[in-house]
Amino acid sequence: MLRIPLRPGITAKLFLAMLASCAIVLLVNGIAARASFQRGFLGYLNEQGMERLETVLPRLEDAYRQHGDWAFLRGNFDAWFALMYPTPEGGPDPELLRAGPPVSEQTGAVPRLALLDRDHTLVVGNPAADRDSLLRPVRVNGRTVGWMAMVPFQKAIAAGDVRFYEAQLQMWWLIGAFSVAVAAVLAGLLSRTLLRRVHGLAAATHRLAAGDFAIRVDAGARDELGGLARDFNQLAQALDHNERTRRHFMADISHELRTPLAVMRAEVEAVEDGIRPMTPASLQPLGQQILQLGKLVDDLHALSMTDVGALAFRREPLDLATQLDAALAAMAPRFAAAGLRLGWQPGGGPWRIRGDERRLQQLFVNLLENSLRYTDPGGTVEVRCERAGGRLRVVFDDSAPSVEEDKLPRLFERFYRTEASRNRDSGGSGLGLAICRNIVQAHDGTIHAEASPLGGLRVVVDLPEAAP
């Protein structure tokens, strides 16, 4: 059994919309053309006839004064045409022949003229003339003695059964029907062409929703559908990147958790088997692994909170140099124990910012911790503040080892580690710089890494300066 869809699809809707638009335009055009013909061309012919009528009025008035009534004209077409063409012979005016007949003569105005008496009764002329014709009063001594009438061209056509006008009307309808048929064909072809690309996008969207992030569509022409296809490809690329990032993230978390858990398990089994005695010395590795595991969990929590914007930030006026002094003072003993020289150049202050004191301390401590872990013993770490164009820059420079230039943009990705000497087992979770990036962005700032003139890594934090 054939099922007819209750709701037409987009193909049918587009086809019907285009067909209806073309049909409406053609219908309006046909009506307008017909009205223009009737009111324009036919009206023009009627105006020419009225002008011819106005030239006859003075002669009729003079004739009525001479005869005193219209009896001399009743049924007397010779006298009537003599008034229409006032020459001794009753023929055309010689001046008319030299200049060429006017439009009113060429369109048959005189045969449509008639004379009606005061009561609108026909005296002479076209028998179709009546009180509904185009009328002009014939006045003698201020008194209306008759009416000069002209049968409208439209009525003359109907009365004369002129087939040309009817043929034109039929031709208009035939042309309109043919135009609608052509419009239907063009609308079908155009709708199929457009919707083929839409259907391709729809199919690709279904595959994308099913998890096929490698799907791409051909953008084709540089139009709206092409722009939509390019946006779709960008979306698919972003989802593909996010999916790969998610998988790498899960693998990195598994690796980071597995290492301390494996060490803790081995230490506990050694104590349980009696290989190692239960002493403070044997418990110290367990404590270190627990601390490392706890820091990893804390870093993961802080990173997830900053990613979703759920980490609380309390903005208040602060002095940037004071915050750096506090962070440097807390880290100075560890730098000294590692054999690193820590330099600090505050520059000319004050360094006014609006930020969260606790988060800024976390930012600066994480950056100093990164330099502490990845700078060779005997090296140097320098910190300084700069001001440029209403922005405050905090620059962290450390000495060797360096980072390859192509790996610098990825340093702030979570769990990313380079393959150079800075990738040694230093106990870092690989999340510190990612947390730093989120904290800086939450303060409307930017952070980036570049090669340091000291031979290692330079990290630049750019923050907006607060108004005094």
Side-chain angles (χ1 to χ4, degrees):
M1 181 177 179
L2 179 63
R3 291 186 176 182
I4 301 176
L6 298 179
R7 295 183 180 180
I10 187 172
T11 304
K13 290 180 179 179
L14 181 60
F15 172 78
L16 292 176
M18 297 176 66
L19 181 59
S21 300
C22 294
I24 292 173
V25 170
L26 291 171
L27 179 61
V28 172
N29 185 49
I31 294 174
R34 182 177 180 181
S36 175
F37 178 78
Q38 290 180 340
R39 297 184 181 180
F41 179 67
L42 298 181
Y44 170 74
L45 296 180
N46 288 330
E47 289 177 1
Q48 295 295 320
M50 293 302 293
E51 292 180 2
R52 184 71 174 87
L53 183 149
E54 295 289 346
T55 64
V56 178
L57 277 176
R59 304 172 198 160
L60 288 174
E61 294 170 354
D62 292 340
Y64 187 88
R65 290 189 187 95
Q66 294 176 8
H67 297 87
D69 57 22
W70 299 119
F72 77 99
L73 277 177
R74 290 189 183 276
N76 189 351
F77 282 93
D78 292 336
W80 171 250
F81 283 109
L83 289 172
M84 296 296 102
Y85 302 102
T87 62
E89 297 80 10
D93 190 345
E95 294 294 333
L96 184 68
L97 294 175
R98 284 194 296 269
V103 176
S104 60
E105 297 297 332
Q106 299 180 54
T107 56
V110 171
R112 291 187 287 125
L113 297 180
L115 176 64
L116 307 180
D117 62 14
R118 183 172 53 189
D119 299 325
H120 297 92
T121 301
L122 179 66
V123 176
V124 67
N126 194 313
D130 53 22
R131 63 175 63 244
D132 295 327
S133 302
L134 301 176
L135 302 176
R136 288 290 185 274
V138 181
R139 295 181 181 275
V140 177
N141 299 326
R143 183 169 61 92
T144 301
V145 297
W147 301 89
M148 190 67 182
M150 185 183 73
V151 178
F153 199 83
Q154 297 91 324
K155 189 175 181 180
I157 291 177
D161 194 22
V162 178
R163 296 181 179 179
F164 173 76
Y165 183 66
E166 295 179 354
Q168 291 301 309
L169 291 178
Q170 294 177 0
M171 185 58 65
W172 280 336
W173 287 114
L174 289 176
I175 292 174
F178 178 75
S179 300
V180 170
V182 173
V185 174
L186 294 178
L189 294 176
L190 182 59
S191 61
R192 288 184 60 186
T193 302
L194 291 176
L195 293 176
R196 186 182 298 113
R197 300 170 64 189
V198 174
H199 291 156
L201 279 172
T205 303
H206 293 320
R207 292 180 59 183
L208 185 66
D212 184 5
F213 301 127
I215 184 65
R216 299 292 186 272
V217 295
D218 183 15
R222 301 189 63 84
D223 53 9
E224 287 78 2
L225 288 178
L228 181 61
R230 286 187 289 273
D231 292 340
F232 175 88
N233 290 337
Q234 292 179 0
L235 173 63
Q237 184 177 359
L239 290 175
D240 189 23
H241 173 74
N242 291 340
E243 177 63 17
R244 286 187 278 105
T245 301
R246 184 190 65 83
R247 293 175 181 176
H248 293 162
F249 180 66
M250 297 302 297
D252 290 337
I253 289 179
S254 301
H255 174 74
E256 293 293 336
L257 292 175
R258 186 184 299 112
T259 301
L261 288 175
V263 174
M264 293 169 62
R265 180 179 179 180
E267 293 291 336
V268 171
E269 289 178 351
V271 172
E272 288 178 346
D273 295 341
I275 299 176
R276 300 186 62 177
M278 180 69 69
T279 62
S282 63
L283 293 178
Q284 184 178 2
L286 286 174
Q288 291 177 349
Q289 295 301 320
I290 291 173
L291 290 176
Q292 183 176 347
L293 190 60
K295 186 169 188 315
L296 174 61
V297 173
D298 291 341
D299 287 345
L300 284 171
H301 180 261
L303 182 63
S304 64
M305 296 292 283
T306 55
D307 278 343
V308 301
L311 201 62
F313 284 86
R314 185 178 61 183
R315 299 290 186 93
E316 57 184 358
L318 298 173
D319 181 66
L320 190 59
T322 302
Q323 303 305 311
L324 284 167
D325 281 336
L328 290 165
M331 295 292 294
R334 296 181 58 188
F335 274 85
L340 299 176
R341 188 183 70 84
L342 183 60
W344 162 232
Q345 302 175 15
W351 307 91
R352 298 185 182 90
I353 62 170
R354 289 188 60 84
D356 186 291
E357 180 177 0
R358 179 183 175 189
R359 301 306 172 193
L360 288 175
Q361 284 294 312
Q362 183 181 9
L363 166 67
F364 297 142
V365 168
N366 279 358
L367 292 176
L368 291 170
E369 183 83 24
N370 185 73
S371 295
L372 175 66
R373 288 174 176 165
Y374 299 113
T375 304
D376 290 336
T380 301
V381 177
E382 293 185 354
V383 183
R384 70 177 185 276
C385 284
E386 300 174 349
R387 178 183 285 109
R391 310 282 295 185
L392 301 180
R393 300 177 66 207
V394 184
V395 182
F396 295 80
D397 280 310
D398 59 40
S399 56
S402 62
V403 178
E404 297 178 11
E405 185 175 357
D406 60 330
K407 295 181 173 61
L408 291 175
R410 301 192 59 191
L411 288 180
F412 298 95
E413 296 179 8
R414 61 193 69 185
F415 292 116
Y416 180 76
R417 291 188 178 93
T418 65
E419 297 299 325
S421 58
R422 294 179 76 96
N423 187 29
R424 63 177 178 266
D425 185 13
S426 59
S429 64
L431 299 175
L433 291 181
I435 295 173
C436 291
R437 178 195 58 192
N438 290 352
I439 293 175
V440 171
Q441 290 176 351
H443 284 81
D444 303 322
T446 60
I447 184 171
H448 70 274
E450 58 189 52
S452 172
L454 299 181
L457 182 70
R458 167 178 286 181
V459 177
V460 180
V461 178
D462 186 282
L463 298 170
E465 184 176 11

